[in-house]
Each structure stands twice: as C-alpha cells, then as structure tokens.
Amino acid sequence: MLSAPLVIGVSFAYLLLLFAVAYWGDRRAQAGRSVIGNAWVYALSMAVYCTAWTYFGSVGRAASSGVWFLPIYLGPMLAMVLAWMVVRKMIRIARTYRITSIADFIASRYGKSPLLAGLVTLITLVGIVPYIALQLKAIASGYAVLTSPLGEAAPPPQQWWRDSTLYVALALAGFTMVFGARHLDSTERHEGMVAAIAFESVVKLVAFLAVGLFVAYGLYDGLGNLFAQAAAQEAINRLLQFDQGQPFAYAQWTGQTLLAMLSVLFLPRQFQVMVVENVREQHLRRAVWVFPLYLLLINLFVLPIAIGGLMHFGPGRMDPETFVLSLPLSEGLNGLALLAFVGGLSAATGMVIVEAIAVSTMLCNDLVMPMLLRSRRVGMRSASDLTGLLLQIRRLAILLILLLGYLYFHLAGEAYALVSIGLISFAAVAQFAPAMLGGMYWKGGTQRGALAGLVLGFGFWAYTLMLPSLAKSGWLSDGFLDHGLFGWTWLRPEAFLGLSGLDNLTHSLFWSLLANVGAYVAVSLWRAPSAAETSQALLFVDVFHRTEGAPRPVFWQGRAQVPDLQALMVRFLGPTRAGQLLQAHARDRGVAQVADIPADARLVQFVETQLAGAIGSASARVMVASVAEEEQLDLDDVMRILDEASQLRAYSMALEEKSQSLERATTELREANEKLKSLDRLKDDFMSSVTHELRTPLTSIRALSELMRDDDAMELAQRQQFLGIIVTEAERLSRLVNQVLDMAKIEAGHAEWTVAEVDLREVAEQAADSMAEMYRERGVLLQRVLAEHVPLVKADADRLTQVVLNLLSNALKYAPRENGQVVLRLDCDGGRVRIEVQDNGPGIPPDQQAMVFEKFRQVAGDAHYRPGGTGLGLPISRQIVEHFGGCMWLRSEAGQGACFGFSLPVVAGGEQTGPQRRQDT
C-alpha cells in the first residue's frame, strides 16, 4: 500500500514531465528542427491505440477468456500489413484537401455536406465519451489499488469535488488546450503533442514489460515453469486452449478481428496521428512494421500476467484487471507497482489527449460553426475577426469532452468492465467504414447513400449493443432484452429477427454493418450523384492521378473579387497568416502583388482549401459561397472541366517529354563536343608524333648526305658506312609511312582484308621461320611450343602473320644479349585459339604497361639498349586481332620478362571455305 499523497504527487509530476516534453517539441519545431519529422516518432505515436484497455482490460479478459484477448491486436497488425495502401490514400487525400477529421473527410467526399459532417460528429461523440470514461476509470481503479490495503474493497466514491480523478481530467484538459488548440488551422502539426504521445508509448511499453518480466522470472522460474504450473490446474489450463472445451467460435473471432481492423483505421485518435499529423508519406513504410512489432511486444506478457495472477491470488480473490498493480504490491515491490501505475497513466492520458483534440475539432467545425454562421453577430455578413473566438470554442469543447467523460465515469462507475466499454466504442466508429472506404474507391457513392447507411448502422448499433449495455447496468428496464420491443420477440436486440448463437458484440456488428452497407449501396444506386458529389468523387478516388503532374481540376465556376476573398481569409486565419498564404499563392501564379492575382476558379479553390483547414470543408464551402457568386454546376460542366484538366495534363506531359528530349539532346551534343575536342587533341598528338618520327630519319639522311657532298676526299670505307646508314634510315622512313597509312586505313575502316579459314599453327611456323636467322645472328634462342592440331579461325592469314612477326620482333629486341630466350606458344582453350610470345628480358614496369598499345609509344629496355621501331606495331596488331573478334593482352613483372598474346574464336562447324576478298567501307 502506498500513501495517497505519494501517488498523487507522482501522477502530477508525470503530467508535468509530459508538459516539458511537449514544450521541448514545440520549441524544436520553432527552431526548424522538427521532432515529428522522424519516422520512429510517427510509428510510436500510432501506439496511442494501446490505451488503458490494453494495460488493464486485456489482462482481465485474458484471465477470464484466455487467448481471446488476441483478436483486438491481431486486427491492427493485419490492417497495417494488408491495408497500408488505404492509409496512404487517406494521407494523400487529407494533405491535398486540408482535411482535419473523420467528419471532415466524409463530408468533403460527399459534396461537402454540413448535414453529413454533423451526423458523423454526433456518432463520434456518443461512441467516444464512454471510451474516455474508460480511461478515467482505469486511473481511478489503479489509484484505489495502490492506496488501499491489498485485497480489500476500494473505499466508496467521494464527493465529486474531492475526487482526484476529476482533477486528473482537468489537468489533461489543460494540457490538451495548451498543446492541441494553439492554432486555428488544424492541419498544422501539433509537434509538442505528438512528441509527448511518442514518449508515452515508450513509457507504457517499458513499464508493462517490467511487470511481465517480474511475473515470469520473479514470481516463477521463467515462462516454461509458469505455463507448466498452469497446465497442472484444469481451470487455468482451459485458458490456454482456443476452444476452451467448447466448439471454437469462428464467428466471434472473425468479428472481433474485423472490428479491430476497422477501429485502427477509423478511430478519431488514430486518424489524427496517422493521417493529420503525418509529415511524410514515406514514414508509413516504417510504421507498417514498427507498429505491429510494438503491439506484439506489449502483448507478450498479457497471458503470463493473467495466469500468474490467477495462480498467485487464486480465482475470484482479486480483480484480474488490476493484476498489473496488485502482483508487484503483493511482493512488496512498491516501486515497480508505482512504475506500472505510471505506465497505465501514460496509456490513459495519451488516448484522452489525442481523442479530445480530434473530437473538439469536429465539434467546433461541424456542430458549433454552422450555428455561429447563422447568428447575426458572427454570421456570414459580419466582418469581425473570428480567430480568437474559434480558438476559445475549441478549447471549451476540449473541456466539455473531458467533463462528459468524467460524468459518464462518475455515473456508470463499476457498472461495466473496461473491455466491454472499449468494444462498444469500437463498434460505433466501425460505422464509418462503408462511407469512408466506399468514398475512396467507388465513384458512385452519394451523400444520400452515406446518410442512410450511417443512420441505419448507428441505429442498429444503439439498439443491439448500446441500449442492452445500459439495461444491464440498471439504467433501463431489461424487459425488452427478453421480450423484444413492444413485446415482439423477433425484435429482441440480442437475437434480432431470431438470429442467435452469436455473442452480443458479433451480433450487433453483423446487423449494423449489414444495414449500413446495404443502405449505402442501395440508396447510392437508386439516384445518380449530383455534380458536386461527382466532382468530389473524382478528386478522392483518383487522388494519386490528380495530384501528380499537372494541377488538379477545379470544379467551380462563377465570379469573385480578390478583396472579398482576402477579407474572408483574414477573418478566419488572421491578417498575418492570410497575408503570407496569399503572397505565396501570388508567387505561384507569377504575379508580384496579391491584388494582381486573377479572381478565377483557382483562387477560389485556394481560399476554400485554406479555410477548410481552420473551419472544416463544409463550413469553408458555405463561407466562400457567401462572398463569391457561384454558378451551379451540372454534370456536363463537371465533365467539361475534367476534359479540360485532362487536356492540360496531356499538354503538360508532352511539354515535359519535350523538355526531357531537349535535355537529352543537349547532353548528347555536349558529349559529342567533348569527343570532338578529344579527337582534335589526339590528332594534334598524332601529327606531332608522326612529324617527330619522320624528322629523325630525314635529319640523319640529310646530315650524312651533306657530309659526303662537302667532303670529296672522304675515304671510301667512310662513304660506304654513311651510305649504309642512309639506306637503313630510308627503309625505316618507308616502313614508318607504310605503317601510318596502314593504321589510318584500319581506323577509318578502309583496309582490305582477305578472309578465309586459317590454321594458326601454319601462321606461327611461317613467322618463326622468317625470324629464325635474325634470332641466330643475335644469339637468342627461339623455342616453339605448338599444339599439333588446333581448330581453324576465320581471319586474314597475311595480317595474322604480320601480328606474330611483330610480337617476335619485339621479343627479340628486348631479349638479353646473353642467354636470351623467347618462347612461342600455340594452344586452344574454351573455343578460342591462343598464341603467346614470352621473353626473358627486363620486363615492363606496371606503370608503363597501359601505354604499350598506344601509338608511337615505346618502352625502353635496359640501360645499355633502346629498341628501335616506330611505336605503331602493337597498336596495328591489336586493331587486326580485334577486327576478327579477338583480344590481345600483356602479362609482365619487372625483371621477369614480358608475355604478349592474343586469341581468336574458332570457326563453328569447321567447314573449309574458299578465301573471300573484302574491303571495309
């Protein structure tokens, strides 16, 4: 047992901590460093789904029904994994059209109907107030367990002004007012509030896991020991079985899972954090797996805590919904019990805060605002600034919601379990599913159909579920439960039309959704949608198509004045905000001043969309219509506007394609220009190299010729030596010219090729024979390692002989003067014939190997020898080999000699064919 001041002090200290976190989040946002711009924060904020019901009610349900607590959490997991595309579409629609709530979403889809928005708001209020009361009840129950002797009944309720739960509700109302109603534009992110909700999600998870670990490994010797002891007790072992000794209730399991799937999508608080507070659609990718993982973690120990509590206290001795607190208290772990209470407080307050923001927005925009617009003081003809008044209304709505929740809690008290209240609220918000899903994916849905479906669905929910719960609580006579309305047994609310065999929740869900969907579809098909409904249907159903590329179509025609629209924005958004928005719109339209903006449909749409974020789409439509002369659209007008928008989109796409083509052409021209510059540089280098190579022998010939001309007395031997040098240089000059011409022809594609099937062994033998005498003169050993038979290749035999001669000549030049050795190899490997020439010369350093195939490049030998040549032999050889589909390579290590080689593909089939003479053109 803990002292009441300690528990109250810790509770309010925790609420102050929430204030600090929210304040920090707002300050970060003002500094341009958004906290909620993080995908982890977004995913954690979605865990507001886990309320006090999860924290206390699930344990209670597991203690009575075993694994039947699971459908409420399997549903959201399945919804996020299977229906994330639905959430993504909701986010895109809400961001595009500045939608602020479930009511605004449904009303906007069906022609911006104020009547539909008001009906959705009333259904939400009726369904959510008991859920808020559930959270307050959980806080009060937890406080009673902590401050009362363990096992004793809680003290009777005190007078309302002495009830600490009331002050918790007022504190939560104050927090929500400060951080949830600071701006009139509800589409602006509540940075501080979302940061606090994400923080609370961590707190409640850590606290619940701490209690679970204590039960599993503190009270028992692990999960195995706990479940083994449970299996030994027949009454408890039954909880571990799906059927629990009875036929498995497939309908009930399916119904609860479906209910939970719909609830996680359409609960007002889930819509607020998933859709309205979403910063980037990409955050949904992480939330798709983080949120289900969170649900898995927070439910890991639900069943162990429930079973552990039943075995520890014995059946019926302690309320199972308080096991999270009573188990630590029973072992004297007051600190852990207090931590668990703070976790439960987090679960309850998170839900209350977000739900209050969402419902207060709906109350202000869809119930109060329409009534205000009818009054003279703040009506449509008034010019007063309403921003302050609307903020005060929203704050009062928050206070009213919390007080209604407290009133329900105070009156209902212990009449109903936590789980029962939660399931009733879930079934209420499930009625939004047909209108929401149908509105996003079916263009034929109408306002009348949505109204009929919601009225019938809500009516069946109230008759088959809400009224029976009130009767069982003693607030109503329970005679109609057994005998039916007016004594007609076929109207019994829990066996409507004689349908029996279902639990009351599944029974109500079946009839309410059946009536809802049936009426929605039937009435929508009965009468075609109006022009306004058709235009909104196109914008919603095709939202991805309409928001990508060209501007979306504007379904409005009429006359408007810029000053009137500007005054309207100032009235509801304030002069500063209105001025900023209009100035930004002016820049988008390409004009300098707001007064220069064309007063056309785009401006009207812009003003209406901005107002929708503050007062809701239905009220925004009414206010814009009050200052603009709108001409009624018919279906032909809608289709005409749609055709114009489609044409504009087609023109935009064509323009974009032309722009991309122009960019590609520019890039290609730039690349071609760079290539031309490179070729120009190569040409200069080539001419410089050729000039240098030609100048060297010409200089030698000229110098020697002048010496012989000027010296008539030159000795004959000297003259013969000079003449020999002149002949050698002339031959070198002739060879250089021939090779330059040969290279030019090959590169230009004008070389003549005599193509035939060639035996490379014959080519290698012929080349080796031609070089044999030169090798003997130099004292270099030429070793032939030639395969006996190799497949034929298709090539020019003379050209290949030229290649092999060049390789053998180069090897001879680099071979050492003593013990020089060159190996000529021929073999076949994998469909290619390969020739290699290996010498034992000085080798080629790695940094010079890349340049040996460049024109006019020669690699020096040892310090006493510089090989002659033109530097064109290897480039020409590689061009020849590559022309016939081959490749040439070099392998060398410094001091280990060099190995040049090439390979050519073999002839398919091996048939002999006659020579073919071909010239490239």
Side-chain angles (χ1 to χ4, degrees):
M1 176 179 173
L2 299 174
S3 66
L6 174 63
V7 177
I8 294 174
V10 169
S11 300
F12 280 94
Y14 177 72
L15 293 179
L16 288 175
L17 179 61
L18 287 186
F19 270 88
V21 172
Y23 179 76
W24 171 76
D26 278 344
R27 291 295 299 270
R28 292 263 301 186
Q30 293 171 5
R33 296 178 296 171
S34 173
V35 176
I36 66 174
N38 185 290
W40 289 102
V41 174
Y42 175 69
L44 287 173
S45 68
M46 291 173 62
V48 73
Y49 178 83
C50 300
T51 64
W53 177 7
T54 300
Y55 216 82
F56 300 111
S58 292
V59 175
R61 186 171 179 82
S64 61
S65 304
V67 295
W68 279 87
F69 77 95
L70 287 175
I72 301 303
Y73 304 98
L74 290 177
M77 292 181 183
L78 291 174
M80 291 307 298
V81 173
L82 301 179
W84 65 270
M85 285 296 294
V86 176
V87 179
R88 178 170 173 256
K89 193 168 189 177
M90 291 166 61
I91 292 172
R92 179 67 65 88
I93 292 171
R95 177 177 291 113
T96 303
Y97 308 119
R98 298 181 68 80
I99 288 173
T100 59
S101 64
I102 288 277
D104 198 17
F105 193 102
I106 295 176
S108 180
R109 161 59 181 86
Y110 298 100
K112 302 183 179 180
S113 165
L115 178 60
L116 198 53
L119 176 61
V120 173
T121 301
L122 288 175
I123 294 174
T124 301
L125 188 63
V126 172
I128 292 303
V129 165
Y131 207 173
I132 293 176
L134 181 153
Q135 313 306 313
L136 300 177
K137 177 183 178 181
I139 296 173
S141 300
Y143 173 78
V145 170
L146 290 180
T147 57
S148 302
L150 192 63
E152 293 188 7
Q158 300 177 345
Q159 294 89 346
W160 63 269
W161 64 87
R162 299 178 60 187
D163 189 354
S164 60
T165 308
L166 171 63
Y167 297 101
V168 170
L170 293 176
L172 292 177
F175 178 93
T176 310
M177 289 179 192
V178 172
F179 295 102
R182 301 178 67 179
H183 310 286
L184 187 59
D185 190 348
S186 300
T187 59
E188 292 186 5
R189 309 290 184 272
H190 301 92
E191 299 264 351
M193 183 270 291
V194 175
I197 297 304
F199 173 76
E200 285 193 308
S201 297
V202 175
V203 170
K204 63 191 177 189
L205 177 62
V206 170
F208 197 85
L209 289 178
V211 175
L213 291 171
F214 157 70
V215 172
Y217 298 98
L219 288 179
Y220 299 92
D221 294 331
L223 293 174
N225 175 259
L226 188 152
F227 285 114
Q229 292 190 36
Q233 302 183 34
E234 182 178 353
I236 297 179
N237 184 47
R238 178 181 56 84
L239 299 177
L240 303 178
Q241 303 171 7
F242 278 91
D243 55 8
Q244 299 186 4
Q246 300 177 357
F248 184 74
Y250 292 99
Q252 182 178 354
W253 185 277
T254 303
Q256 291 187 13
T257 303
L258 174 63
L259 181 61
M261 290 180 67
L262 297 178
S263 298
V264 80
L265 296 176
F266 305 122
L267 276 169
R269 68 176 184 276
Q270 295 303 127
F271 186 88
Q272 182 73 32
V273 296
M274 282 196 310
V275 178
V276 178
E277 303 294 344
N278 177 269
V279 177
R280 283 187 290 274
E281 290 180 16
Q282 291 80 1
H283 289 175
L284 190 61
R285 296 178 181 177
R286 183 167 296 171
V288 163
W289 64 269
V290 171
F291 180 52
L293 178 62
Y294 184 97
L295 294 179
L296 175 65
L297 291 175
I298 204 168
N299 284 283
L300 274 179
F301 291 103
V302 168
L303 197 57
I305 292 174
I307 293 174
L310 290 174
M311 293 191 296
H312 186 75
F313 294 114
R317 296 185 57 189
M318 188 69 66
D319 183 1
E321 291 183 347
T322 65
F323 279 171
V324 173
L325 303 175
S326 56
L327 283 172
L329 287 174
S330 68
E331 296 297 311
L333 299 177
N334 294 342
L336 180 60
L338 193 57
L339 174 63
F341 175 74
V342 170
L345 184 64
S346 292
T349 55
M351 177 270 172
V352 171
I353 291 168
V354 181
E355 208 78 77
I357 290 174
V359 179
S360 67
T361 301
M362 297 164 67
L363 282 174
C364 178
N365 292 349
D366 302 312
L367 286 183
V368 179
M369 191 64 196
M371 291 187 291
L372 284 178
L373 296 180
R374 295 188 182 95
S375 67
R376 292 183 178 180
R377 191 172 73 86
V378 295
M380 290 182 286
R381 297 182 179 275
S382 173
S384 58
D385 186 346
L386 297 181
T387 54
L389 176 62
L390 293 177
L391 278 176
Q392 291 301 323
I393 292 173
R394 192 164 293 175
R395 290 164 183 163
L396 288 175
I398 290 172
L399 180 62
L400 175 64
I401 292 166
L402 268 296
L403 290 178
L404 284 175
Y406 174 77
L407 180 63
Y408 188 97
F409 154 74
H410 195 71
L411 295 178
E414 303 298 322
Y416 233 58
L418 297 180
V419 170
S420 300
I421 297 176
L423 291 175
I424 290 173
S425 296
F426 274 22
V429 299
Q431 305 309 314
F432 301 146
M436 287 278 289
L437 295 175
M440 286 191 289
Y441 293 98
W442 183 36
K443 296 178 182 178
T446 66
Q447 174 191 337
R448 290 186 178 88
L451 277 171
L454 284 171
V455 168
L456 281 180
F458 182 68
F460 269 94
W461 168 83
Y463 183 69
T464 60
L465 193 61
M466 189 64 181
L467 291 180
S469 72
L470 296 178
K472 292 175 183 177
S473 300
W475 291 10
L476 296 175
S477 171
D478 60 357
F480 75 102
L481 295 179
D482 298 325
H483 307 295
L485 193 64
F486 309 122
W488 296 341
T489 57
W490 54 276
L491 291 182
R492 285 181 298 170
E494 296 183 335
F496 192 76
L497 297 184
L499 180 63
S500 59
L502 299 176
D503 65 288
N504 59 343
L505 177 67
T506 308
H507 176 269
S508 175
L509 187 66
F510 171 78
W511 283 113
S512 61
L513 287 183
L514 179 64
N516 193 332
V517 174
Y520 172 68
V521 174
V523 175
S524 296
L525 293 175
W526 173 53
R527 181 169 296 181
S530 65
E533 292 168 348
T534 300
S535 63
Q536 290 300 107
L538 291 169
L539 296 178
F540 272 59
V541 176
D542 298 332
V543 65
F544 292 112
H545 177 69
R546 303 293 176 195
T547 55
E548 295 174 356
R552 64 181 184 269
V554 182
F555 297 102
W556 189 91
Q557 62 183 14
R559 292 180 297 276
Q561 300 294 327
V562 174
D564 295 337
L565 295 173
Q566 184 176 9
L568 188 62
M569 290 188 67
V570 169
R571 186 181 178 197
F572 288 98
L573 301 179
T576 303
R577 180 63 175 161
Q580 293 172 347
L581 291 171
L582 286 172
Q583 195 62 48
H585 184 67
R587 288 193 298 269
D588 292 340
R589 300 292 296 272
V591 296
Q593 301 295 328
V594 173
D596 298 331
I597 301 176
D600 55 7
R602 285 184 61 187
L603 177 61
V604 172
Q605 180 204 45
F606 173 77
V607 173
E608 184 176 328
T609 303
Q610 300 307 316
L611 291 179
I615 61 176
S617 59
S619 298
R621 167 58 66 89
V622 173
M623 292 308 301
V624 169
S626 69
V627 299
E629 299 178 14
E630 181 178 1
E631 298 176 8
Q632 193 69 29
L633 291 175
D634 55 26
L635 288 178
D636 291 337
D637 293 326
V638 172
M639 299 312 297
R640 174 182 54 79
I641 294 172
L642 188 62
D643 289 341
E644 291 174 354
S646 299
Q647 292 176 10
L648 180 61
R649 181 179 179 85
Y651 294 152
S652 176
M653 293 178 64
L655 182 61
E656 184 178 357
E657 290 178 0
K658 290 182 179 179
S659 177
Q660 293 175 353
S661 299
L662 182 59
E663 290 179 1
R664 287 194 297 267
T666 303
T667 302
E668 292 172 359
L669 286 174
R670 187 180 297 112
E671 293 175 353
N673 187 42
E674 292 297 326
K675 187 174 182 180
L676 286 173
K677 290 180 180 179
S678 177
L679 290 174
D680 190 55
R681 287 192 298 270
L682 290 175
K683 179 201 70 174
D684 293 341
D685 294 343
F686 179 77
M687 294 301 298
S688 176
S689 299
V690 169
T691 302
H692 173 74
E693 294 295 333
L694 290 174
R695 187 184 296 117
T696 301
L698 285 174
T699 301
S700 178
I701 293 171
R702 179 179 178 181
L704 295 175
S705 299
E706 288 177 350
L707 286 174
M708 289 188 295
R709 182 195 66 185
D710 296 338
D711 190 359
D712 294 334
M714 181 179 294
E715 295 180 2
L716 182 60
Q718 183 71 38
R719 188 178 296 276
Q720 289 296 329
Q721 180 185 1
F722 283 3
L723 287 173
I725 294 174
I726 290 173
V727 171
T728 301
E729 291 299 325
E731 290 175 350
R732 179 185 174 194
L733 185 61
S734 176
R735 186 166 61 252
L736 174 62
V737 172
N738 289 334
Q739 287 183 337
V740 169
L741 293 174
D742 205 12
M743 172 66 78
K745 287 182 179 180
I746 293 175
E747 289 185 340
H750 298 156
E752 293 184 357
W753 309 91
T754 303
V755 181
E757 291 181 350
V758 179
D759 185 348
L760 278 183
R761 179 181 173 84
E762 294 180 0
V763 171
E765 290 281 10
Q766 180 181 350
D769 292 341
S770 299
M771 295 293 296
E773 185 61 30
M774 295 181 64
Y775 271 75
R776 280 193 294 272
E777 291 178 359
R778 295 284 184 91
V780 177
L781 175 62
L782 175 59
Q783 183 180 359
R784 310 181 191 187
V785 183
L786 308 178
E788 290 294 333
H789 302 284
V790 293
L792 301 179
V793 299
K794 182 164 288 190
D796 187 326
D798 292 337
R799 295 285 188 178
L800 293 184
T801 302
Q802 178 184 350
V803 172
V804 179
L805 285 172
N806 180 264
L807 297 182
L808 290 173
S809 176
N810 287 343
L812 178 61
K813 295 173 185 177
Y814 284 94
R817 297 174 182 175
E818 296 181 1
N819 300 322
Q821 182 177 351
V822 175
V823 180
L824 174 63
R825 297 190 187 91
L826 170 67
D827 59 18
C828 182
D829 181 20
R832 300 180 75 85
V833 182
R834 180 173 58 193
I835 287 181
E836 289 185 339
V837 177
Q838 171 82 50
D839 65 61
N840 63 342
I844 302 175
D847 59 338
Q848 298 185 29
Q849 292 181 12
M851 66 177 64
V852 297
F853 292 105
E854 296 180 7
K855 301 168 190 174
F856 302 108
R857 292 283 191 175
Q858 298 185 67
V859 181
D862 56 31
H864 306 287
Y865 173 68
R866 177 177 178 85
T870 63
L872 290 174
L874 284 175
I876 292 175
S877 297
R878 186 169 67 171
Q879 291 273 8
I880 293 171
V881 170
E882 291 179 350
H883 179 80
F884 296 113
C887 60
M888 180 172 280
W889 61 83
L890 162 65
R891 295 196 309 271
S892 179
E893 294 182 10
Q896 301 296 320
C899 177
F900 285 87
F902 68 90
S903 65
L904 291 169
V906 302
V907 176
E911 296 182 0
Q912 296 290 335
T913 59
Q916 301 176 15
R917 190 169 186 82
R918 187 184 72 194
Q919 180 176 355
D920 295 337
T921 57

